[in-house]
Amino acid sequence: MTNTKILTTKKSKDYELIDSGEGGKLERFGKIVVARPDPQALWRKLKPNEWKKADAVFCRDARLRSESYAGQAGWETNGKVPDNWFVELGGLQFKIHLSVFKHVGLFPEQVENWKWIGEFIKSVKSVKSIKSVNVLNLFGYTGGASLVCAKAGAEVCHVDGSKVAINWAKDNAEASGLADKPIRWILD
């Protein structure tokens, strides 16, 4: 028998993975608790009663939704969830929005990768013969990695095929105080 270790993002002021399992995850973004599908969470939930406290639940099965949403997958909320709100994660500000695809505009599990990227860029920039660091971020989504790179001093080319995602990334850059950093935004 092997031991399985589940790695999770550390709890912070604006993010917490409250529970996961049985095909879903329960997360707190700021003060809002969100339950959404995660097909990789194959284990049993550890805190099943906590799921009842969610402010927003993404339902794929129309039978689980209220009659007003019959036949559609999407979010059910308790009326306390704003259209958008901001959270701090990894020293950056991110706009959270409940999208029609179950996403919220942020992948908190990437924080450790962002930390490594930022430290790597800073170490490369410390070499006197290196004048600049250039980063190409393909499928950049709402900008987490791009913002980390720009904050660390890199010149960034952020590419995504979604105009909505690029505008969202620009909002995150502005909220994080990075709007004037050298980030080239490409929709393609």
Side-chain angles (χ1 to χ4, degrees), residues 1 12 15 23 57 89 101 105 180:
M1 184 170 167
S12 67
Y15 178 76
V57 178
L89 190 64
F101 303 109
D180 63 340

Side-chain angles (χ1 to χ4, degrees), residues 72-94:
Q72 302 175 39
W75 292 95
E76 285 191 351
T77 68
N78 62 7
K80 299 177 186 174
V81 180
D83 289 340
N84 303 296
W85 67 99
F86 282 85
V87 299
E88 186 276 329
L89 190 64
L92 299 166
Q93 293 290 315
F94 292 94

